[in-house]
Amino acid sequence: MKKSALSLSVLAALALGTASAQTTVKIATLSPLSGGQSDLGTQIRNGAQLAVNEYKAQFQKLGLNLQLVAYDDQADPATGTAQARKIAADRQILAVVGTLNSGVAIPSSAALAASRVAMVSPANTANNVTDRGLSNMNRIVARDDAQGPAGANFITGNLKAKKVYILNDKTAYGEGLAKEVEKALKAKNIQVVANEGTEEKSDFSGIVSKIRLQNPDAIYFGGIYNQVGVFIKQLRDAGVNTPVVGGDGLDSSELATIAGTGANNIYFTTVAAPIEALPAARVFATNFQKTFKDQAQGFGAFGYDAAKVVLQGILNAAKANGNKAPTRQQVETAIRKGSFTGLLSGNVSFNSVGDRTAATLYVMNVQGGKYKLATRIPVKPARQ
Amino acid sequence: MDLATLLPFIVNVIVGGLVLGFVYAIIALGYTMVYGVLQLINFAHSEVFVTGAVVGFEIFRVLAPSPMNGYLKLLIALVAAMAVSGLLNVLIERLAYRPLRNAPKLVPLITAIGVSLILQDVLRIIEGFQGRFDLTYTLPAGFSGKFCAAESSCAAVGNVLRTVGIDLQLKDVILIVVSLLSLGVLNYLVNRTRLGKAIRAVAQDRVTAGLMGIDANRMISATFLIGGALGGISGVLFGMKFGTVNAYSGFDPGIIAFTAAVLGGIGSIPGAVLGGLVLGVIQNLIGVTNVFGSLLHIANLESINASYQRIGAFIVLVLILIFKPTGLLGKSNVEKV
């Protein structure tokens, strides 16, 4: 297989006369390929690889030899920044798909900004990723400040709750999310009986007693699955079956494992849609399975979408440049200004700071330990 | 909100605190036993306790498919956890504390913290090899039910329980019964047997006890064995009550149980139990202060909720140490263990 590919390319090179007639352009992925989050990072890399395979022929027509180079950030800001500097030094790389973690995206995009390497993120949700207003940083997922209002909308619209009990884990993530939810609920005149912080990891008996006393219609917990799972288990053990709503901190299969028989009536908002929730993804999932012998997950699909944004951006810039390889700066502008179609998660265009003008949050439901899509909520970024 | 809904709430908060207190109490016994004999705070006790919880998890997991009686499974889990945690504690003493017995007091304390960190990672690795991090207890069917599952059996329990609205789960009752039984056995062992007498002698004066023909090292090992076994029991009870543990679960309950031991008077067995129960109830009451605050319209109380329940426990400890430094039941240097 490899051998024939090699001889083919040699033949192709001979047929074209000189190899220099071909200009190589590269796009990079920056995501964790080793360590605890490598599973998600590899999905992003593989998704992007599928998009590159799909676009190779179109680039070929312009005399461009398209390649993907994968960089490993180990989910670590320092490693990610060092890799970003390497990317900046490789002049053939025109744009980057990445990263998985907001903590890595923020310093890496800053390191890439000076050399005008555009970045399209398939996963970062922290507000500050785009709030800094860098011209090279874009994302195709919803922001954190969309998640609180979306959770609140779900509680009032779908669960029809009139009285809500809010908990948070006293971290920057959980407390911030809980505050956003409280604000949005109060704006709708919904009664918020408490917004209580707890660092407790095992004993929730006091809180459960209070919940039984107050008898709310819904509970919102801004926290991470390992704490919330234990809480839900004890809540259900005490015979309370009130719906529990949370943010993407609950997006883990471990949640159902920890909650055990109590893993019922749980909802959470997340940016990484399950593959089944993306109508166009069936062909993608089959290709993914065939190419990588691995099941495609949400981040694979978003890696694919982010890469398509990058590739269409490069093609647009190349056309504007007289069908020649564009500069990094031209690509950066083409991505921020362009509108991109044919993606799994719908059409993409960016606002002035690089947020997707119309993103979607997905609400998942856990019932009997099984996860399924409950509904999708369209969200707009803070500014247009 | 009227008294009819509030009374069951208060009762439940106190009962919940007592149940929690029993878990703390039995962990605190492990600290107090070792301290009584060696004047050493065995900080590795929280990991000895988690080891018990892990053993309990494995036993329940392996036995889950078998149709064996649930109480028999529990007994096997308790015995296995006692054995493993007890032997582990003996091993820790032998390897980490005995060689340092004549060193300055700070040295074994630091070693204890080191042992604690090592054990955390060893547990993490052992379970990690099997792809697990959060261990979820699969309890025998029925164990997670209400103490009176059906209305008819509730009546049989007696109308007293019903009228005050106590809402106990079966596993809470099991927890209390097992705690009281272990406490009784420990009390008998320490106060009524030759072994207990020898341990008390070593606690009082190791050198003189040695001159009287008591092998101090053996007695110290025995103390660690008993303390570890108690840790094992509390681990299983903890796992049953809260449903899940991981390698790092020991720190929080460990530090609170240690506080309970100091609160009750470290070195005193009834003190450890009292300290645990008091802390459990105080924690739960502080956690619900905001409910009373909103009822009585006292704005300052309304902001005191579950966020503060830990701090509250430690404030009580500080107050006790200021006004009664020996703890609630501690007597300075008169009787230890």
Side-chain angles (χ1 to χ4, degrees):
Chain A
M1 181 78 186
K2 224 173 189 172
K3 219 173 190 174
S4 66
L6 190 71
S7 53
L8 260 179
S9 64
V10 169
L11 276 177
L14 285 175
L16 285 164
T18 53
S20 61
Q22 281 264 350
T23 316
T24 297
V25 295
K26 296 181 194 165
I27 70 164
T29 58
L30 183 59
S31 60
L33 302 176
S34 58
Q37 302 179 30
S38 59
D39 177 36
L40 302 178
T42 308
Q43 283 277 333
I44 292 176
R45 198 258 330 258
N46 290 351
Q49 183 67 58
L50 279 189
V52 164
N53 295 350
E54 212 174 295
Y55 275 71
K56 239 182 153 72
Q58 282 192 56
F59 276 76
Q60 199 79 49
K61 277 189 210 140
L62 300 176
L64 300 174
N65 176 25
L66 177 65
Q67 284 176 12
L68 180 108
V69 271
Y71 287 83
D72 180 9
D73 64 27
Q74 297 171 6
D76 169 51
T79 315
T81 313
Q83 298 286 48
R85 294 211 182 90
K86 273 193 227 162
I87 291 173
D90 183 346
R91 301 300 304 177
Q92 290 177 322
I93 297 177
L94 294 180
V96 180
V97 171
T99 64
L100 176 67
N101 309 82
S102 296
V104 182
I106 291 169
S108 318
S109 56
L112 289 170
S115 38
R116 316 301 294 257
V117 181
M119 220 168 151
V120 177
S121 162
N124 307 136
T125 59
N127 296 340
N128 214 16
V129 168
T130 51
D131 277 354
R132 296 165 301 153
L134 290 183
S135 56
N136 66 326
M137 183 76 227
N138 313 280
R139 65 172 137 201
I140 60 168
V141 291
R143 296 156 54 99
D144 272 350
D145 58 7
Q147 198 160 185
N153 277 342
F154 182 77
I155 289 173
T156 54
N158 298 57
L159 299 177
K160 310 269 180 237
K162 299 265 174 281
K163 195 173 165 190
V164 182
Y165 201 105
I166 302 179
L167 290 161
N168 70 69
D169 64 0
K170 293 173 83 176
T171 66
Y173 166 76
E175 209 166 24
L177 200 53
K179 207 171 279 170
E180 291 285 342
V181 171
E182 187 183 6
K183 207 164 68 187
L185 286 176
K186 282 187 169 158
K188 290 171 189 282
N189 280 325
I190 300 293
Q191 189 192 353
V192 176
V193 280
N195 183 354
E196 195 168 3
T198 175
E199 284 161 334
E200 186 61 57
K201 294 232 161 42
S202 45
D203 169 49
F204 293 94
S205 58
I207 294 173
V208 170
S209 304
K210 270 195 279 190
I211 287 173
R212 288 171 57 151
L213 183 73
Q214 310 269 21
N215 198 19
D217 306 317
I219 299 162
Y220 190 91
F221 201 141
I224 307 292
Y225 65 89
N226 55 359
Q227 189 193 23
V228 184
V230 179
F231 164 74
I232 293 174
K233 182 179 171 60
Q234 289 177 30
L235 188 72
R236 301 289 185 247
D237 273 355
V240 183
N241 204 31
T242 313
V244 178
V245 187
D248 57 348
L250 303 197
D251 195 355
S252 162
S253 58
E254 280 284 291
L255 177 75
T257 315
I258 296 172
T261 49
N264 275 313
N265 230 357
I266 309 169
Y267 301 88
F268 59 85
T269 49
T270 179
V271 290
I275 289 292
E276 316 84 70
L278 302 168
R282 192 169 300 160
V283 182
F284 165 78
T286 323
N287 278 342
F288 195 100
Q289 175 76 41
K290 212 160 60 194
T291 317
F292 304 108
K293 311 273 174 280
D294 184 20
Q295 203 128 33
Q297 298 169 29
F299 282 118
F302 280 83
Y304 173 83
D305 274 7
K308 266 188 143 175
V309 168
V310 163
L311 296 171
Q312 289 183 19
I314 298 177
L315 282 178
N316 290 347
K319 269 169 205 147
N321 198 29
N323 285 341
K324 286 204 297 285
T327 64
R328 284 173 166 181
Q329 191 163 358
Q330 286 166 334
V331 171
E332 184 188 83
T333 319
I335 288 176
R336 180 62 57 84
K337 296 267 187 294
S339 77
F340 308 97
T341 54
L343 309 184
L344 302 177
S345 61
N347 295 345
V348 167
S349 57
F350 297 110
N351 67 4
S352 59
V353 291
D355 280 320
R356 188 171 178 171
T357 45
T360 309
L361 272 171
Y362 301 85
V363 182
M364 299 296 292
N365 173 221
V366 186
Q367 211 62 259
K370 297 262 179 304
Y371 294 64
K372 57 175 190 285
L373 184 74
T375 182
R376 54 188 84 211
I377 300 178
V379 291
K380 296 244 176 260
R383 52 183 145 172
Q384 283 301 314
Chain B
M1 216 165 289
D2 55 354
L3 202 65
T5 50
L6 201 59
L7 187 66
F9 169 69
I10 297 172
V11 171
N12 271 317
V13 168
I14 293 176
V15 169
L18 285 174
V19 174
L20 180 64
F22 273 110
V23 181
Y24 292 153
I26 202 158
I27 307 172
L29 284 174
Y31 281 104
T32 241
M33 289 280 294
V34 167
Y35 183 86
V37 172
L38 279 187
Q39 273 78 54
L40 162 79
I41 312 257
N42 180 15
F43 273 115
H45 190 67
S46 52
E47 275 60 49
V48 170
F49 144 81
V50 175
T51 306
V54 172
V55 171
F57 161 80
E58 291 292 347
I59 298 284
F60 280 126
R61 186 178 68 84
V62 170
L63 292 183
S66 103
M68 197 189 288
N69 181 303
Y71 291 95
L72 192 58
K73 288 183 188 175
L74 175 64
L75 187 68
I76 296 173
L78 283 172
V79 171
M82 281 170 77
V84 174
S85 293
L87 290 176
L88 176 67
N89 217 17
V90 170
L91 198 70
I92 292 171
E93 191 271 329
R94 193 62 176 267
L95 298 178
Y97 302 149
R98 191 174 294 183
L100 300 167
R101 198 164 292 158
N102 296 318
K105 280 204 163 168
L106 200 56
V107 176
L109 192 72
I110 293 167
T111 319
I113 294 172
V115 170
S116 155
L117 295 176
I118 292 170
L119 283 178
Q120 279 179 5
D121 285 336
V122 168
L123 284 171
R124 168 89 207 254
I125 289 169
I126 292 175
E127 286 302 319
F129 270 137
Q130 302 170 69
R132 282 192 286 266
F133 181 71
D134 289 300
L135 311 176
T136 308
Y137 267 59
T138 40
L139 289 181
F143 270 34
S144 53
K146 287 266 179 68
F147 182 48
C148 45
E151 285 299 310
S152 55
S153 67
C154 278
V157 171
N159 282 322
V160 188
L161 270 182
R162 295 292 286 168
T163 40
V164 291
I166 293 180
D167 187 59
L168 273 186
Q169 289 169 30
L170 183 57
K171 57 187 184 189
D172 295 340
V173 178
I174 293 173
L175 189 150
I176 294 173
V177 170
V178 173
S179 306
L180 288 176
L181 274 179
S182 350
L183 188 63
V185 170
L186 178 69
N187 206 39
Y188 176 80
L189 205 65
V190 171
N191 290 321
R192 297 266 181 278
T193 60
R194 275 174 64 91
L195 176 73
K197 209 177 211 174
I199 290 178
R200 278 181 293 145
V202 172
Q204 219 155 56
D205 189 333
R206 199 189 307 152
V207 180
T208 317
L211 294 176
M212 300 295 140
I214 298 172
D215 184 344
N217 276 340
R218 270 187 58 195
M219 288 310 124
I220 290 169
S221 289
T223 311
F224 272 83
L225 185 70
I226 296 168
L230 285 168
I233 294 175
S234 53
V236 175
L237 295 180
F238 180 89
M240 271 182 66
K241 166 106 182 99
F242 300 124
T244 159
V245 284
N246 63 45
Y248 305 103
S249 290
F251 184 78
D252 284 0
I255 206 93
I256 291 174
F258 168 63
T259 310
V262 177
L263 179 66
I266 192 151
S268 152
I269 290 176
V273 177
L274 184 69
L277 294 180
V278 167
L279 273 193
V281 173
I282 286 179
Q283 267 204 22
N284 260 14
L285 282 177
I286 289 174
V288 300
T289 306
N290 56 342
V291 172
F292 301 116
S294 62
L295 283 178
L296 304 169
H297 302 290
I298 307 173
N300 291 341
L301 289 187
E302 275 182 63
S303 53
I304 299 179
N305 55 32
S307 331
Y308 295 98
Q309 58 184 34
R310 287 286 164 74
I311 314 168
F314 290 114
I315 289 174
V316 171
L317 175 74
V318 170
L319 291 179
I320 284 282
L321 288 180
I322 291 173
F323 293 109
K324 197 172 184 309
T326 49
L328 292 174
L329 296 185
K331 295 181 204 116
S332 43
N333 287 327
V334 177
E335 192 183 68
K336 283 175 250 144
V337 164

